[in-house]
Amino acid sequence: MSLQTHHLIVSVLLPIHRLGLFSYESTESVKIGNCVKVPFGSRSLWGIVWALHAPQVPNLKKIIEVYPYWSASSMFLLFLRQCSEYTLIPLGSLLRMVFPISEILEWPCQTFRCASSFSSVIQTCPWPGTFAQWVFMFGLKRVKKWIQEANLVSVEIHHDYNYTSPILTKHQKEALEKIGFQTTFIEGITGSGKTEICLAYIQPIILEKKQILILVPEISLCQQWVHRVQKYYSGNIGIWHSELSAKERKFQAWSILTGSTSIIVGARSAIFLGYKNLGAIIVDEEHDGSYKQAEGPAYHGRDMAVFRGYHEKIPCLLLSATPSLESFWNIEQKRYTHVALSQRYGNAQLPDIYMLDLKEQKLDSNMITLPLREALQKNLIKQEQSLLFINKRGYASLWVCYHCGFRAACQNCNVWLSIHYLPKSVLLCHYCGFKKPLPKTCPECHNLEQVKLWGVGVEKIGQEVQSFLPNAKICILSSDVCYTPRQLNETLLAIKNQEYDILIGTQLVAKGHHFPNLTLVGIIDGDFALSHLDLRSGERLYQVLCQVIGRAGRGVIPGKAYIQTSQTKHPLFSYLQSHNIQGFLQEELSTRKKYHFPPYVRLISLTLSGIDENTVHHYALSLKNHLPHESWVEVLGPAPSLINPLRRRWRWRIFLKSPKHYKIQDYIRTALHTFSLPSKIRLHIDVDPYDFL
DNA sequence: AGCACGCCGACT
DNA sequence: GTCGGCGTGCTC
């Protein structure tokens, strides 16, 4: 053996789904956290040095290149490790989210001062903007050539910006003082000034040249935060979400990595990105279910934000008017600092809530009860806007021929197809997106007289309103009508400009938009989620109703809300009427405690899926039998999913329940270590699942 | 995940 | 006789 074997063998984490850690020889000195380019099969990949010792393996290869400008801090690596241990997402899969586009590591990292602030550069270099912006606009090759021509290769990174703090009221200042060093929950109804407190709080952090990450539950809310931030901040604002184009993604990831953007507004996946120096994390609308990613690697954005804040020793602020049960519990357990804002900004009143019993009303085939009709009419006369909420897209949810009994069903899922007229007439599956032209006659018996449409969606409500208020200008708001963020923003602007009298919308309208002239809210189906099949349904309904009702009366005029339901006596509504969130959450918590459900226990779901029903069932049973018996683990199932098949795949689920202080993740990891599945069968692990069906 | 290798149907 | 279907297996 040669004497040069003192070259280190290091363990490199690669963005590979299954395992992830591979041994490489390093000829130059590397540290843990360095980004390195390594040969892998017939290609080369970027990875992170995970450990400075690794097992000797045959065919050991050398590291090609070490990235000199950025490396993962030990705190960041600890964060990744905890994420992986908690969510059971393999480290390799996690790294794919950290390095969404690893090619940016090939870009040179030097950049220029903004032309406006560095006159000597202006003379030799006629292009304004930062390096990244030029690359974004003109392409790397051209910019590189320009740099060589201008001889400017080693100018240092420098960013100039101003940040002024918003002016706070006395109450807001008091709240600001209470924010702790780590996770703080800021609870306050819409309009209580949570945003301003946050924007004031981050000022010193921004001035220390650290980055701020603002997480939002939905892409459409990014732009809103950008506008808020721009009032006080003159620098670059980063955006991160799944709908960025490939070009934009590269530009944004590069700007975030190099620190050329100091404030980043992003959807949940932004929590895993590599930052230059993250200084604080803000999670807006903390309770929102959209933070939970259920498809692909399952994780909860808010929980990951808390983990990251903890490991990087930076503050994490959770904001909500209607805390999630988990957070409410964590506040009670004194895990989070709690800051409550009670006053609504500028004296706006909370809306009065009226219950309408669907059982007492004679509706015929209509969905809107008489009192709500009258209220809509009055509001129209007063020239004030109204909002009707119904949580169903499309026109109707079942196409049925009464002559032969034919019902239009999805080819891939065990569901009926919904009828949509907007933006185009079509039969649509809400689960897989399958589309079919709307039949003119029954495909089975060719009859056309006896076709019936069952179920009620936004479009049908729109039709009903138009029938009794023919002069009202109606706007239908659903993801089908506004399918791009731009379209949605345009529509929202039109609403603010009073171009519509009555809005009819799905979940989409519930999220953080301010319409000053909106004074009436009607909930069409106030019991759509009150099933006992799903333990979170009550919590979700409460949150969504709170949010929709919060749309009313945000200006100077007090608002009113009508809730149509067949369960007027349900305790949820009395808490809602008295605006007593605490009471509602307390009661929900005690139910969860009684039935041994989260947050009192840990719940994990294992879902097996595949094309062939029997094979999936077979492997689900054998997985269950493979799980060792432990007194502290309760194994439920396997049970078939409610919608089976879904996207042509059959799914069987196993649920595991254990007390929280046991490491059930370790139990599962070891159990799965000795369990193998054929490649046709997929296993999906979800820690703290949101759905049970 | 990619990208190989590998073993069976319709074409110049 | 080939071209190519995607089944399974490996990548330090």
Side-chain angles (χ1 to χ4, degrees):
Chain A
M1 284 296 163
S2 74
L3 290 170
Q4 287 119 333
T5 47
H6 62 265
H7 282 159
L8 274 174
I9 300 178
V10 298
S11 186
V12 177
L13 175 63
L14 294 179
I16 300 294
H17 271 301
R18 272 219 154 270
L19 234 144
L21 290 174
F22 293 85
S23 302
Y24 284 92
E25 186 184 344
S26 72
T27 46
E28 45 184 311
S29 78
V30 290
K31 286 185 191 143
I32 289 178
N34 272 140
C35 298
V36 290
K37 194 175 169 183
V38 293
F40 191 75
S42 57
R43 59 216 162 111
S44 61
L45 289 175
W46 282 96
I48 287 185
V49 177
W50 193 256
L52 294 182
H53 49 83
Q56 173 65 266
V57 290
N59 195 24
L60 188 73
K61 288 180 183 167
K62 284 183 184 142
I63 288 172
I64 302 168
E65 190 185 339
V66 182
Y67 187 67
Y69 306 109
W70 186 84
S71 63
S73 66
S74 59
M75 300 177 297
F76 183 45
L77 296 178
L78 279 172
F79 158 70
L80 292 180
R81 206 173 71 185
Q82 194 195 353
C83 286
S84 170
E85 279 174 8
Y86 184 87
T87 62
L88 291 165
I89 298 172
L91 277 167
S93 311
L94 266 186
L95 193 65
R96 297 175 71 86
M97 302 198 260
V98 177
F99 283 172
I101 14 154
S102 41
E103 310 99 83
I104 62 161
L105 296 173
E106 315 246 335
W107 294 6
C109 209
Q110 296 92 342
T111 188
F112 306 86
R113 288 182 185 233
C114 290
S116 57
S117 65
F118 198 10
S119 57
S120 66
V121 176
I122 298 172
Q123 286 162 12
T124 40
C125 172
W127 314 283
T130 63
F131 179 86
Q133 285 165 327
W134 299 342
V135 171
F136 182 53
M137 286 186 287
F138 306 112
L140 182 62
K141 267 190 189 159
R142 242 186 297 180
V143 176
K144 263 185 170 170
K145 203 179 134 217
W146 291 342
I147 293 165
Q148 273 161 11
E149 283 169 3
N151 200 20
L152 283 169
V153 193
S154 59
V155 180
E156 293 225 322
I157 292 178
H158 191 91
H159 308 288
D160 287 321
Y161 48 77
N162 298 313
Y163 193 94
T164 53
S165 170
I167 295 153
L168 301 184
T169 64
K170 188 165 157 274
H171 286 286
Q172 289 173 329
K173 272 185 197 154
E174 281 165 15
L176 180 68
E177 296 298 315
K178 285 188 201 151
I179 296 176
F181 292 109
Q182 283 195 348
T183 311
T184 298
F185 196 104
I186 304 179
E187 183 182 350
I189 50 171
T190 32
S192 60
K194 297 188 294 276
T195 313
E196 288 72 25
I197 292 168
C198 286
L199 291 173
Y201 180 76
I202 62 174
Q203 188 192 28
I205 305 170
I206 290 279
L207 295 180
E208 277 173 52
K209 306 278 172 202
K210 287 186 180 166
Q211 290 168 297
I212 308 288
L213 168 62
I214 300 167
L215 285 182
V216 294
E218 205 145 291
I219 296 168
S220 65
L221 297 174
C222 281
Q223 216 37 48
Q224 202 182 324
W225 266 97
V226 168
H227 289 314
R228 289 173 183 174
V229 169
Q230 271 170 343
K231 284 187 209 159
Y232 308 101
Y233 170 69
S234 67
N236 297 326
I237 299 171
I239 300 278
W240 186 262
H241 54 73
S242 57
E243 273 172 39
L244 293 176
S245 69
K247 235 182 175 184
E248 283 173 309
R249 263 186 19 233
K250 281 191 186 187
F251 171 62
Q252 295 290 347
W254 194 89
S255 310
I256 292 165
L257 194 76
T258 57
S260 115
T261 46
S262 304
I263 298 182
I264 295 95
V265 184
R268 57 175 181 248
S269 58
I271 197 62
F272 293 114
L273 294 176
Y275 289 82
K276 190 170 184 232
N277 52 358
L278 199 54
I281 306 167
I282 294 167
V283 183
D284 192 26
E285 308 287 1
E286 157 281 329
H287 61 274
D288 199 302
S290 313
Y291 280 120
K292 173 74 182 186
Q293 170 155 313
E295 309 245 312
Y299 66 91
H300 198 298
R302 177 243 295 142
D303 296 345
M304 298 305 112
V306 172
F307 286 173
R308 189 153 193 183
Y310 172 78
H311 283 291
E312 304 221 6
K313 298 186 174 57
I314 56 172
C316 177
L317 311 182
L318 308 180
L319 315 185
S320 178
T322 52
S324 63
L325 212 58
E326 280 79 3
S327 294
F328 182 69
W329 192 69
N330 281 326
I331 293 165
E332 282 208 329
Q333 303 286 308
K334 309 268 183 234
R335 287 203 184 87
Y336 302 160
T337 309
H338 185 217
V339 177
L341 296 161
S342 49
Q343 292 217 336
R344 201 167 188 180
Y345 197 74
N347 273 343
Q349 302 271 308
L350 285 168
D352 287 326
I353 298 167
Y354 305 94
M355 300 305 298
L356 300 171
D357 195 336
L358 283 172
K359 290 179 305 219
E360 287 175 10
Q361 301 282 331
K362 289 189 185 68
L363 283 168
D364 308 322
S365 61
N366 291 331
M367 279 303 289
I368 301 170
T369 57
L370 206 59
L372 181 53
R373 236 185 227 224
E374 283 165 0
L376 283 170
Q377 208 154 10
K378 275 186 200 158
N379 232 36
L380 183 64
I381 293 164
K382 281 194 286 179
Q383 291 277 300
E384 290 168 18
Q385 286 174 308
S386 309
L387 164 67
L388 294 178
F389 174 80
I390 176 156
N391 199 32
K392 212 171 263 169
R393 293 159 51 201
Y395 181 85
S397 41
L398 175 65
W399 192 103
V400 56
C401 168
Y402 268 43
H403 186 249
C404 70
F406 172 84
R407 297 157 178 225
C410 179
Q411 294 184 347
N412 311 317
C413 315
N414 184 19
V415 295
W416 306 121
L417 294 170
S418 288
I419 296 94
H420 286 242
Y421 292 118
L422 298 172
K424 276 181 184 166
S425 292
V426 73
L427 288 173
L428 181 72
C429 172
H430 285 183
Y431 292 87
C432 74
F434 172 77
K435 271 185 209 166
K436 224 180 180 172
L438 206 58
K440 297 231 169 23
T441 59
C442 174
E444 287 285 305
C445 67
H446 306 291
N447 189 299
L448 73 166
E449 299 297 317
Q450 296 182 51
V451 170
K452 270 227 167 195
L453 305 181
W454 278 99
V456 176
V458 265
E459 293 176 30
K460 183 142 189 204
I461 297 296
Q463 193 184 53
E464 191 180 327
V465 172
Q466 201 77 83
S467 74
F468 64 83
L469 294 172
N471 297 324
K473 282 172 279 168
I474 287 172
C475 176
I476 294 188
L477 264 164
S478 72
S479 54
D480 303 293
V481 188
C482 304
Y483 47 88
T484 66
R486 211 183 117 216
Q487 251 178 322
L488 179 64
N489 282 325
E490 277 171 18
T491 312
L492 293 171
L493 193 71
I495 296 166
K496 277 177 207 177
N497 292 339
Q498 318 278 319
E499 285 170 38
Y500 297 103
D501 303 310
I502 297 169
L503 325 172
I504 296 147
T506 58
Q507 295 272 69
L508 202 71
V509 289
K511 309 226 165 149
H513 305 290
H514 179 46
F515 309 118
N517 196 38
L518 186 82
T519 55
L520 174 70
V521 165
I523 312 290
I524 303 292
D525 55 344
D527 37 26
F528 69 88
L530 279 180
S531 77
H532 290 284
L533 286 165
D534 185 344
L535 73 103
R536 267 176 236 270
S537 61
E539 186 191 348
R540 259 203 306 260
L541 180 62
Y542 192 94
Q543 284 161 356
V544 88
L545 293 187
C546 235
Q547 241 165 356
V548 176
I549 290 165
R551 300 301 115 217
R554 299 198 54 191
V556 280
I557 315 154
K560 277 181 188 173
Y562 290 83
I563 301 175
Q564 301 189 154
T565 177
S566 53
Q567 306 176 53
T568 45
K569 300 247 159 48
H570 197 286
L572 187 146
F573 297 115
S574 60
Y575 288 118
L576 200 65
Q577 270 183 305
S578 53
H579 301 283
N580 182 7
I581 300 166
Q582 305 285 326
F584 171 74
L585 291 169
Q586 280 294 353
E587 186 171 327
E588 276 289 301
L589 264 188
S590 59
T591 329
R592 300 275 187 98
K593 192 172 188 176
K594 195 170 146 196
Y595 294 107
H596 299 282
F597 268 118
Y600 293 96
V601 292
R602 172 130 289 132
L603 198 64
I604 295 182
S605 91
L606 307 176
T607 309
L608 285 139
S609 70
I611 307 289
D612 184 66
E613 184 185 3
N614 291 327
T615 322
V616 177
H617 186 201
H618 168 83
Y619 281 100
L621 284 171
S622 75
L623 175 55
K624 190 209 169 117
N625 293 330
H626 183 78
L627 295 170
H629 291 280
E630 291 285 353
S631 58
W632 52 274
V633 181
E634 197 183 331
V635 181
L636 307 152
S641 286
L642 191 70
I643 296 164
N644 238 346
L646 179 81
R647 296 167 205 261
R648 318 202 79 192
R649 299 183 77 86
W650 292 80
R651 295 168 304 148
W652 283 77
R653 297 183 88 178
I654 297 168
F655 287 95
L656 293 115
K657 221 190 218 186
S658 86
K660 276 199 160 169
H661 57 275
Y662 283 98
K663 287 207 156 188
I664 191 172
Q665 281 94 337
D666 290 349
Y667 163 89
I668 294 173
R669 203 179 294 112
T670 31
L672 291 177
H673 204 71
T674 51
F675 184 78
S676 63
L677 282 168
S679 60
K680 281 181 180 177
I681 303 288
R682 285 206 287 256
L683 171 63
H684 186 253
I685 306 173
D686 193 339
V687 178
D688 309 327
Y690 259 44
D691 66 302
F692 298 84
L693 312 170

